[in-house]
Amino acid sequence: MMYLSTPQLLFLIIVPIVVLVVLFVFVFLPIRKYYRKKHYLDVYYKSVRAIAVDQDFYLINNFKFKITDNKKAMFNHILFGEKYIYLIYCVYYHGDITGNVNDKYLVMVPKKDKRKYVPNDYRTIQKLVERFVMDTSLSSDLFIGIVLTNSDINLGVESESKQYYMIQRDRLSQLVKAIESRDIPTLNEEELQKAVIQLSNRK
């Protein structure tokens, strides 16, 4: 019977591990990144749905509403919490985001390209929520507007708003828990059901 020396055993153990690590870094990670980029709405949906299931929140997806007679907008998700209703608008950025919340445009800095100016989605979510509230009989205090972004970027846009947020997908659950922990009463069950029914009927 042939016995292997310690160096030979180490070689047989280490080589497969190195091969797996190389495959993970150069094959699996690029494929996963490509998938998340092309199917980011599906990826975001799974994160939002996980919060809804975990917290037992009601969820409406792809809610379209009228802005003008000829134009409609959409919230990708409406999440009904115990204290707030979250209006979620999904975007995918191809680079880090910096700028001022009040500017018309934000600066996007791709890793392998020149910086670019992109529409300021803080302003986008504010306008969408304001227009949405005008079209309902519900109080604006019920709503939290969230711009949901991909997780593989840095967000360098500071805001002191307690109603509007831009957040990476992997931090959404933490944000919702923090907002739901605010020292305010929970929504009236009858009022919440009214909101759910009203919005569901309009979907």
Side-chain angles (χ1 to χ4, degrees):
M1 184 175 181
M2 180 179 177
Y3 291 95
L4 298 175
S5 65
T6 299
Q8 289 174 321
L9 285 172
L10 289 174
F11 179 81
L12 290 175
I13 293 171
I14 292 174
V15 168
I17 294 175
V18 171
V19 171
L20 289 175
V21 170
V22 171
L23 288 174
F24 180 80
V25 172
F26 292 99
V27 178
F28 174 75
L29 290 181
I31 290 175
R32 184 179 67 170
K33 184 176 181 179
Y34 177 81
Y35 175 85
R36 288 181 173 178
K37 177 179 177 181
K38 292 296 182 181
H39 304 277
Y40 74 94
L41 291 177
D42 294 333
V43 175
Y44 292 9
Y45 164 71
K46 291 179 181 178
S47 295
V48 176
R49 185 178 182 277
I51 296 172
V53 172
D54 183 58
Q55 301 295 322
D56 196 25
F57 290 168
Y58 191 81
L59 176 65
I60 295 177
N61 300 304
N62 302 322
F63 184 89
K64 295 180 180 180
F65 62 101
K66 186 181 294 186
I67 294 181
T68 66
D69 290 339
N70 300 317
K71 186 177 181 180
K72 287 187 176 181
M74 182 176 76
F75 289 115
N76 299 94
H77 311 286
I78 300 181
L79 188 65
F80 295 81
E82 294 183 353
K83 297 182 179 180
Y84 293 96
I85 300 172
Y86 302 86
L87 305 175
I88 302 174
Y89 176 74
C90 297
V91 298
Y92 187 97
Y93 292 124
H94 299 275
D96 297 339
I97 297 294
T98 61
N100 188 293
V101 292
N102 298 315
D103 291 341
K104 185 175 182 179
Y105 296 97
L106 297 176
V107 179
M108 184 176 70
V109 186
K111 293 181 179 179
K112 297 181 180 180
D113 202 349
K114 297 180 180 179
R115 61 176 56 199
K116 302 176 181 178
Y117 289 95
V118 295
N120 186 345
D121 285 315
Y122 271 107
R123 296 178 58 165
T124 301
I125 193 66
Q126 290 174 3
K127 291 177 181 178
L128 288 178
V129 172
E130 290 169 0
R131 186 64 186 85
F132 175 81
V133 170
M134 287 175 57
D135 207 27
T136 71
S137 59
L138 303 171
S139 169
S140 61
D141 294 336
L142 292 174
F143 299 102
I144 299 290
I146 296 176
V147 177
L148 190 59
T149 78
N150 39 314
S151 300
D152 57 344
I153 61 166
N154 295 313
L155 293 176
V157 185
E158 294 185 3
S159 171
E160 296 181 358
S161 173
K162 301 298 182 183
Q163 186 175 13
Y164 300 104
Y165 298 86
M166 181 182 287
I167 193 78
Q168 296 98 328
R169 175 186 58 83
D170 58 355
R171 296 178 58 202
L172 178 63
S173 177
Q174 180 183 355
L175 174 65
V176 171
K177 287 180 180 179
I179 295 174
E180 287 291 308
S181 69
R182 291 177 183 174
D183 187 20
I184 63 170
T186 58
L187 294 174
N188 179 280
E189 188 67 26
E190 184 177 338
E191 185 179 26
L192 180 59
Q193 287 296 323
K194 175 185 175 183
V196 171
I197 293 172
Q198 179 181 340
L199 297 180
S200 295
N201 289 339
R202 291 182 52 193
K203 187 176 183 296

